Every structure is written in structure tokens, then in C-alpha cells.
């Protein structure tokens, strides 16, 4: 094949002794993500992932798009490999980039020589190739300061590679190097973004969703599974735990003072999520909470809801403005699904005047008539585990 993707590693390069482990994880992830697109060879050399289509049937366009959502990559480009001599490099540029170059007002050549055995310096390569290109494209000016188009030449160990401008990668750390966490996924805008952000820091994500049939509909559940599917584009295949929450919500409604409904409900969510998390090897919870957004997201409320768990609760959105969250939701493609109008169980039995500055003592008193253990055990028995992956049919 005459084209190859080069993907530059991000923060992994800084990881010192763990670098090898990070690279292995990334290579594994890229191999898995390329599978649906055909036969690709994936290897890492000199802080660069090489992704090479191995036969004519490979879906190169699909693979290229997928490469943009792999964490651990800062930038990526499509290249033409060629032999390590000036004629081959020049010919490869003419064939592969000649049309792009013709459309530009000005250009320059930028060379990098990581094969130090190559007899010319990078500056000499740029001058020589730039001179030849200036002759064959006389209408495109040479401009080394503010060029309209840059032709890149990389002389590496195995071959030379020529390419145009690189594109930004997904950033972050390779999925799996940051451990595993359980994200409380609702049908809203925030929690899918929270899942994405922690996946970006290298976490494997599992999700839990609480639904209250018949107060919430099958559509609301499908919406959440669809949101999970959209997040798998970045995070990779995941399990979604669906927990029936109806009995707990009815028990709260029947036995607790109204102003504490949401707080008590959220304490159940946290505790049940932690139990499933521990059973599945997750070391943290993730929520889409955001300071001050609603009554249950004050510092005091978070203290009360966090009190039932003993693992960290990651809230990557806690200090962001709604607009910033929406921008990410739009970028990762979850926004349109999130704003579909199916209700969430949090909006069932919402108190008219929720308590915004609760103390733990007040909440413990408010929930004293509930048999917490029995309710939690029952909810845990209802758990349905569903595996979601990006190439599944969309649910909505
Ligand atoms: P979101 O947009 O993520 O729904 P929100 O602003 O609506 O967030 P809340 O409804 O207070 O906020 O929920 C706060 C967090 O609690 C959510 O981000 C999510 O992590 C979790 N959560 C809420 N409802 C559910 C649910 N039904 N199942 C699982 N987790 C939930
Ligand atoms: Mg919500």
C-alpha cells in the first residue's frame, strides 16, 4: 500500500519508566480500533504509531476517521512512504502532494531526520527539495516564514515519509493506563461529557444508569444506551448496568420528608454504584455534577451524597460553565441525543423546595424509616448488564 498513517504520541513521551507500558497499551488499543476496518499493521517506533493498511480491501477512510478518537495521540497525518534518497522523496511529493501544492499561494519544506545515518542534514534536505519544487511549481512562491502550505519530509529508520499538515489527535492518555471507573450516566448533557473526560485521562469506563419504569419510559433507557454508544467512539466498548430504581423512589416518597427526596435518592445511587463498581474492579465513581447547577449540587449536598462511598468520586465538570460543557458535548457528538426530551428518574418526585444546605445528621434522620440494606439488595438483584460498542446500530 502506498499510504500510511503516522500518529505522534502525546504525554506518554513524558512518562519515563512507564513509557513502555503506555506504548504497549496504546498499540493494543489502536490494533483493536482498526479491526472493523480490515487488515492493518500497527507498530510503534521513535514515539510514533505507524498504522499501515495491509491489503486493498482495507477501509482506509473509515480507519483514518477512527484514528482521530484514539486517546494518547496528539497529532496524526497521512503519509506516502518512499525510499531514503532525494529522487524518491521528490517524486513521492510530486505524486502525493503535487495537487495540494498547486492550490497554495506559497510553500516551504520542513524536514526532520531521525535516521542520523542519512548523509544530509534536515536543512539541506529542505533546501534541495524546496528548490526542485519551486522549479516545477513556479506559480507557488517559496515563503519560509508564513507559508500557505508546508510539505513535510521525515527521514526515519525504515523509510522516508512525505506529508502535508498534520491534524489534531484526541489527546489524553491511552485508554486503560488510568485504571477503571464507574460513571453514573443519566440522559442529560453532563454525564456523557464527564465519562468522555475521564476516559481521556486513560480510564476504562463502565456505566450505571438508574431507571424508574413506569415513571420513566423505555425510550429514556434507550436514550442512555445510545449516549453510552456515542461515548464508546472514544472510550472503547463498555458495559452499562441498568438498575431498576422504582421501588427505592416509591419507598422514599412514602417514608421521607419531601425536601430530602433528591438527596436521599442520590445517596442510594452512589451507594449502589459503588457496590457494582467494586464488584467489577472499578476504583472510582464518575458523575457529571457541577457546582451550583441544581439544588443537589451545592457543596453541602455533595458532602451528604458523597458520605455513603469510600472510593474517590471524580467530577470532571465541577468547575465548568454550562456553555463549556455544551461545547464539548457538541464536539464529541452527544449533545443532540442528550437534548431529546425523555425524562430522567431525577425529575420524578422532585421536591418543590429541595434542601440546599443539608447536614448529614438531618439526612440520616430523614431516611431513618427506610430499610436501606433491603432496598439496596433488591436493586442490585435487578441489575441488567448490557455491552455497548460504537459499531452497534444506533438506538434512536
Ligand atoms: P446530567 O446532565 O448528567 O443528567 P444534571 O445536570 O441533570 O446532569 P443531576 O440530575 O443532578 O444533574 O445529576 C447529577 C449527576 O448524577 C449526573 O451527572 C449523573 O452523573 C448522575 N445521575 C443523575 N441521574 C442519573 C440516573 N438516572 N442514572 C445514573 N446516574 C444519574
Ligand atoms: Mg440529569
Amino acid at each position: 500500500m502506498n499510504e500510511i498513517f503516522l500518529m505522534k504520541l502525546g504525554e506518554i513521551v513524558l512518562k519515563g519508566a512507564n513509557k513502555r507500558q503506555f506504548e504497549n497499551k496504546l498499540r493494543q488499543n489502536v490494533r483493536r480500533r482498526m479491526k472493523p476496518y480490515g487488515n492493518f499493521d500497527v507498530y510503534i517506533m521513535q514515539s510514533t504509531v505507524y498504522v499501515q493498511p495491509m491489503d486493498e480491501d482495507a477501509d482506509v477512510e473509515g480507519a483514518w476517521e477512527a484514528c482521530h478518537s484514539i486517546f494518547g495521540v496528539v497529532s496524526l497525518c497521512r503519509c506516502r512512504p518512499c525510499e531514503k534518497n532525494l529522487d524518491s522523496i521528490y517524486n513521492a511529493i510530486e505524486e502525493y502532494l503535487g495537487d495540494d501544492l498547486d492550490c497554495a499561494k506559497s510553500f516551504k519544506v520542513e524536514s526532520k531526520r531521525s535516521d542520523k545515518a542519512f548523509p544530509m542534514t534536515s536543512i539541506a534536505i529542505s533546501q534541495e527539495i524546496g528548490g526542485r519544487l519551486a522549479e516545477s511549481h513556479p506559480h507557488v512562491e517559496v515563503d519560509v516564514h508564513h507559508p500557505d502550505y508546508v510539505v513535510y519530509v521525515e527521514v526515519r529508520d525504515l523509510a522516508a515519509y512525505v506529508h502535508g499538515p498534520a491534524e489534531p489527535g484526541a489527546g489524553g492518555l491511552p485508554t486503560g493506563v488510568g485504571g477503571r471507573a464507574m460513571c453514573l450516566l443519566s440522559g442529560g448533557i453532563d454525564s456523557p461529557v464527564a465519562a468522555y473526560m475521564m476516559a481521556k485521562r486513560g480510564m476504562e469506563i463502565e456505566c450505571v444508569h438508574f431507571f424508574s419504569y413506569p415513571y420513566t419510559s423505555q425510550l429514556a433507557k434507550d436514550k442512555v444506551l445510545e449516549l453510552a454508544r456515542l461515548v464508546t467512539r472514544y472510550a472503547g466498548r463498555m458495559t452499562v448496568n441498568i438498575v431498576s430504581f422504582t421501588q427505592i423512589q416509591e419507598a422514599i416518597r412514602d417514608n421521607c420528608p419531601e425536601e430530602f427526596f433528591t438527596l436521599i435518592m442520590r445517596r442510594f445511587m452512589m451507594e449502589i454504584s459503588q457496590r457494582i463498581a467494586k464488584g467489577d474492579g472499578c476504583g472510582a465513581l464518575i458523575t457529571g455534577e457541577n457546582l451550583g447547577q441544581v439544588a443537589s449540587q451545592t457543596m453541602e449536598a455533595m458532602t451528604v451524597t458523597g458520605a455513603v462511598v469510600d472510593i474517590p468520586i471524580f467530577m470532571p465538570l465541577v468547575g465548568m460553565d454550562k456553555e463549556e460543557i455544551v461545547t464539548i458535548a457538541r464536539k464529541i457528538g452527544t449533545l443532540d441525543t442528550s437534548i431529546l426530551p425523555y425524562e430522567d428518574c431525577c425529575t420524578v418526585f422532585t421536591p418543590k423546595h429541595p434542601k440546599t444546605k443539608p447536614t448529614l445528621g438531618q439526612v440520616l434522620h430523614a431516611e431513618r424509616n427506610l430499610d436501606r440494606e433491603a432496598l439496596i439488595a433488591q436493586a442490585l438483584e435487578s441489575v441488567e448488564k448490557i455491552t455497548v460498542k460504537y459499531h452497534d446500530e444506533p438506538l434512536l
Side-chain angles (χ1 to χ4, degrees):
M1 286 298 288
N2 244 347
E3 195 172 38
I4 185 169
F5 310 156
L6 296 192
M7 311 204 286
K8 305 284 162 76
L9 307 191
E11 287 176 45
I12 309 178
V13 191
L14 309 173
K15 293 294 171 195
N18 292 330
K19 186 173 168 191
R20 183 57 54 82
Q21 186 202 335
F22 277 55
E23 288 189 352
N24 287 342
K25 199 69 185 179
L26 180 60
R27 184 174 47 233
Q28 234 174 44
N29 293 347
V30 177
R31 282 203 177 126
R32 200 178 41 245
R33 298 288 280 279
M34 290 302 99
K35 272 228 173 87
Y37 304 101
N39 188 9
F40 288 81
D41 195 14
V42 177
Y43 46 96
I44 299 187
M45 281 181 349
Q46 298 175 310
S47 298
T48 303
V49 190
Y50 294 69
V51 181
Q52 186 172 7
M54 296 307 283
D55 56 45
E56 294 296 330
D57 296 333
D59 174 4
V60 175
E61 297 307 322
W64 173 243
E65 204 211 301
C67 282
H68 287 75
S69 53
I70 299 176
F71 291 130
V73 172
V74 271
S75 70
L76 60 167
C77 56
R78 294 168 80 142
C79 314
R80 166 70 55 92
C82 61
E83 281 180 32
K84 292 194 274 185
N85 61 64
L86 288 176
D87 286 343
S88 303
I89 292 171
Y90 170 74
N91 289 333
I93 294 171
E94 286 292 6
E95 262 180 52
Y96 189 60
L97 304 171
D99 291 347
D100 291 351
L101 190 57
D102 273 331
C103 298
K105 286 196 201 64
S106 60
F107 83 102
K108 77 166 176 178
V109 177
E110 204 168 299
S111 307
K112 223 169 40 210
R113 178 185 60 135
S114 45
D115 170 13
K116 298 299 177 205
F118 191 75
M120 295 171 79
T121 65
S122 24
I123 293 175
I125 301 171
S126 298
Q127 282 172 343
E128 174 65 28
I129 298 289
R132 292 197 199 183
L133 291 171
E135 257 175 51
S136 54
H137 301 264
H139 58 287
V140 190
E141 254 176 69
V142 177
D143 180 348
V144 292
H145 299 297
H146 305 286
D148 194 21
Y149 188 77
V150 181
V151 172
Y152 293 89
V153 176
E154 300 191 36
V155 182
R156 292 172 161 264
D157 279 352
L158 294 181
Y161 301 86
V162 304
H163 62 88
E167 294 179 14
L173 297 170
T175 305
V177 301
R180 189 176 170 84
M182 178 72 73
C183 181
L184 283 78
L185 189 66
S186 69
I189 294 173
D190 302 334
S191 43
V193 173
Y196 159 83
M197 287 184 67
M198 295 320 298
K200 187 170 178 185
R201 292 314 296 166
M203 301 202 91
E204 268 175 33
I205 307 291
E206 184 168 329
C207 289
V208 54
H209 174 68
F210 297 88
F211 89 115
S212 292
Y213 187 77
Y215 302 104
T216 62
S217 64
Q218 176 66 35
L219 271 174
K221 181 171 145 189
D222 286 350
K223 176 183 176 184
V224 168
L225 291 171
E226 175 61 7
L227 284 169
R229 188 187 74 80
L230 293 169
V231 174
T232 61
R233 174 171 171 204
Y234 295 90
R237 132 199 318 246
M238 65 167 77
T239 302
V240 181
N241 297 273
I242 303 285
V243 186
S244 170
F245 210 45
T246 316
Q247 268 160 326
I248 290 178
Q249 287 198 292
E250 287 176 343
I252 296 171
R253 177 195 61 192
D254 296 342
N255 295 289
C256 305
E258 186 185 301
E259 57 182 343
F260 289 100
F261 279 3
T262 309
L263 285 167
I264 296 173
M265 180 190 83
R266 295 192 57 74
R267 280 164 57 82
F268 274 100
M269 281 189 182
M270 292 289 185
E271 191 160 353
I272 293 165
S273 300
Q274 165 164 272
R275 301 241 192 141
I276 304 173
K278 286 184 174 173
D280 288 0
C282 299
L285 300 180
I286 300 168
T287 73
E289 282 166 284
N290 179 249
L291 192 66
Q293 196 183 77
V294 289
S296 58
Q297 295 178 13
T298 63
M299 191 167 55
E300 292 80 1
M302 288 177 187
T303 304
V304 163
T305 48
V308 290
V309 302
D310 54 24
I311 55 178
I313 305 170
F314 293 149
M315 304 177 181
L317 315 185
V318 74
M320 293 170 74
D321 288 351
K322 193 73 192 182
E323 204 39 52
E324 296 172 299
I325 301 171
V326 166
T327 302
I328 302 176
R330 194 176 285 122
K331 182 184 97 177
I332 65 172
T334 52
L335 184 65
D336 289 346
T337 305
S338 285
I339 59 182
L340 293 172
Y342 315 125
E343 71 292 7
D344 180 59
C345 70
C346 278
T347 53
V348 182
F349 313 132
T350 317
K352 277 190 211 66
H353 303 289
K355 194 95 180 147
T356 53
K357 289 194 182 300
T359 64
L360 188 54
Q362 289 167 341
V363 176
L364 289 171
H365 185 73
E367 64 184 26
R368 71 192 180 286
N369 292 328
L370 296 176
D371 185 347
R372 287 184 63 86
E373 265 313 311
L375 287 166
I376 289 171
Q378 211 169 30
L380 286 171
E381 261 171 40
S382 78
V383 173
E384 182 191 359
K385 282 187 175 318
I386 300 175
T387 306
V388 181
K389 48 186 192 307
Y390 190 57
H391 291 277
D392 289 344
E393 284 294 308
L395 277 159
L396 294 174

